[in-house]
Amino acid sequence: MRRVLILGGTAEARALAAELVDKGVHVVSSLAGRVSNPRLPVGELREGGFGGPDGLAAWLVAERIDAMVDATHPFAARMTASAAEASARTGVPLLVLRRPGWREGPGDIWQRVASLHEAAARLRAPARVFLTTGRRSLPVFTGLAGVWLLARSVDPPEPPVPDNVHVLLDRGPYTVEGERALIREHRLDVLVTKDSGGPMTTAKLVAARALGLPVIMVDRPPPPAGVRLVETAGEAAAWAQG
Ligand code: NAP
């Protein structure tokens, strides 16, 4: 039986696992183990880091993996780099599945920036910020004078949470109506987000456009040179079946 490792943590990774299991492939999905109550894929599951490229390379050999799909989040750059290195060392073929990024359209007021730090530097006080860049990014934004933050994340950020931060624990998918109501209720005047792409979290962008809210969009890190990339679970499933 063909054995495929999926580096997961995304909706696309779960869709890919379901499609491959359905086709009779033995799938092992790997999660980082950071979210307290993750949505789980079908098939076999393992959790936690591998211990860098060395650890992953050893694991691929020990588990007799035939092919590996990196379907991690577009901002999980360390895992992707590690997968590329382990693939080069072991010869286990690697495919990177990345959903397309978001595109600015008519009515959008976006600034694209290269990093979270650049996003923080673009904020002009006084500001009431809708921050959806993840709980671990919060420290980048908390020290800014005159900046109030509505920080939405799946799990709570590390305490202590400063007074100028209101934490909202939630996970998508979200509705445009819900996002509009949130922006109005908290009198938010700028959205800071990562270019995650995908349909689960686009409602905030539609609401921002409708309300004339500017968006600071953090660009994705580039994939490692030379890796093979696809954008959909279907394409990845066709490749992974060999
Ligand atoms: P990262 O910075 O690229 O990864 C840091 C380390 O965590 C990796 O070096 C690896 O440890 C371990 N790791 C990451 N993903 C793993 C996986 N699928 N299976 C096993 N180990 C994994 O990644 P991150 O940004 O912390 O994201 C962690 C996970 O959350 C990813 O799997 C990603 O799909 C998911 N996620 C991330 C975001 C985001 O915005 N970054 C959003 C939604 C979901 P070792 O070096 O020890 O192998």
Side-chain angles (χ1 to χ4, degrees):
M1 204 177 190
R2 192 168 167 78
R3 294 173 64 80
V4 173
L5 169 66
I6 301 176
L7 300 167
T10 59
E12 293 74 24
R14 291 189 294 276
L16 175 60
E19 201 165 333
L20 288 177
V21 166
D22 202 44
K23 295 271 163 34
V25 174
H26 183 98
V27 171
V28 183
S29 289
S30 174
L31 300 179
R34 301 255 177 77
V35 176
S36 55
N37 184 20
R39 293 183 173 122
L40 296 178
V42 296
E44 193 181 323
L45 188 71
R46 70 162 298 287
E47 277 192 273
F50 294 91
D54 290 344
L56 177 55
W59 189 93
L60 290 169
V61 172
E63 295 293 322
R64 292 170 288 104
I65 296 296
D66 297 301
M68 156 172 63
V69 179
D70 169 32
T72 55
H73 190 271
F75 282 80
R78 268 178 55 203
M79 189 67 250
T80 302
S82 186
E85 203 173 321
S87 166
R89 271 191 222 168
T90 57
V92 173
L94 168 68
L95 182 76
V96 176
L97 166 56
R98 283 280 171 283
R99 60 177 94 129
W102 289 316
R103 294 240 187 96
E104 191 173 357
D108 286 327
I109 313 164
W110 289 11
Q111 291 180 68
R112 280 199 174 267
V113 294
S115 68
L116 292 165
H117 285 94
E118 198 183 331
R122 295 284 179 101
L123 292 172
R124 293 285 163 263
R128 296 180 64 83
V129 180
F130 187 6
L131 185 69
T132 67
T133 51
R135 64 186 167 130
R136 282 181 295 143
S137 69
L138 195 54
V140 176
F141 296 91
T142 46
L144 305 169
V147 171
W148 184 88
L149 301 161
L150 177 72
R152 184 168 68 192
S153 57
V154 176
D155 281 323
E158 286 292 312
V161 175
D163 289 347
N164 64 330
V165 181
H166 178 80
V167 174
L168 179 61
L169 298 182
D170 205 351
R171 97 161 103 196
Y174 303 102
T175 65
V176 176
E177 279 324 302
E179 301 292 55
R180 282 173 76 123
L182 201 62
I183 291 167
R184 287 217 173 99
E185 180 192 342
H186 293 280
R187 293 173 285 112
L188 302 169
D189 45 34
V190 59
L191 166 65
V192 178
T193 186
K194 296 193 288 197
D195 185 6
S196 300
M200 300 259 286
T201 53
T202 44
K204 63 190 169 199
L205 300 173
V206 179
R209 182 185 309 142
L211 296 171
L213 199 74
V215 176
I216 301 178
M217 180 71 70
V218 181
D219 278 335
R220 299 163 166 211
V227 295
R228 186 195 290 238
L229 279 166
V230 295
E231 292 189 338
T232 64
E235 290 167 279
W239 176 88
Q241 284 170 74

